[in-house]
Amino acid sequence: MGLYLLLATLIQAVVPVGLVLIALVVLVRTDIGRDLLDRLIGARRSELDWDNLLREVDTLRDHLQEVQERLDFTERTMVERPSTPALPPFEPTPESITPN
């Protein structure tokens, strides 16, 4: 009777674990299981992140090129324009010196 009890306890412990393992193997071999596993691991997510990152780098490159063109235009404009002061220098007159 001790052997029967030991065998019954062993079956009660092993069968559920075996069924869970079989279910996991079947799940992993299906498309849904592979997609779920990829999502858990993050493999597909990292590929999407690389695509987004490359698009963002291209956008930043375009913006930087536009800023460089604007800077070049500003530098050319400043070089071509003569450097004259906006207002003539102040020269005091007798009226401006008199006290109130």
Side-chain angles (χ1 to χ4, degrees), residues 3 9 21 25 31 33 36 41 44 46-47 53 66 76 80 85 92 96:
L3 182 60
T9 306
L21 289 176
V25 168
D31 291 336
L36 181 62
I41 292 173
R44 291 184 188 238
S46 65
E47 290 174 11
L53 183 62
E66 183 180 333
R76 281 194 309 266
E80 292 171 359
S96 65

Side-chain angles (χ1 to χ4, degrees), residues 79-93:
V79 168
E80 292 171 359
R81 186 181 304 170
S83 60
T84 59
L87 295 174
F90 177 73
E91 294 181 19
T93 61

Side-chain angles (χ1 to χ4, degrees), residues 1-12:
M1 185 140 169
L3 182 60
Y4 175 74
L5 186 60
L6 179 65
L7 188 58
T9 306
L10 186 62
I11 289 174
Q12 287 177 353

Side-chain angles (χ1 to χ4, degrees), residues 15-78:
V15 169
V17 173
L19 290 175
V20 168
L21 289 176
I22 291 171
L24 286 175
V25 168
V26 169
L27 183 65
V28 169
R29 290 186 166 255
T30 62
D31 291 336
I32 295 173
R34 275 189 236 117
D35 289 342
L36 181 62
L37 184 62
D38 287 344
R39 186 173 294 255
L40 289 173
I41 292 173
R44 291 184 188 238
R45 196 162 127 201
S46 65
E47 290 174 11
L48 292 176
D49 288 342
W50 279 108
D51 291 341
N52 289 336
L53 183 62
L54 290 176
R55 272 191 298 257
E56 190 172 337
V57 167
D58 288 339
T59 302
L60 288 174
R61 187 177 294 136
D62 293 341
H63 285 247
L64 180 61
Q65 183 178 1
E66 183 180 333
V67 169
Q68 287 173 336
E69 289 173 0
R70 289 180 179 194
L71 178 63
D72 291 342
F73 174 77
T74 304
E75 288 174 344
R76 281 194 309 266
T77 305
M78 290 179 72

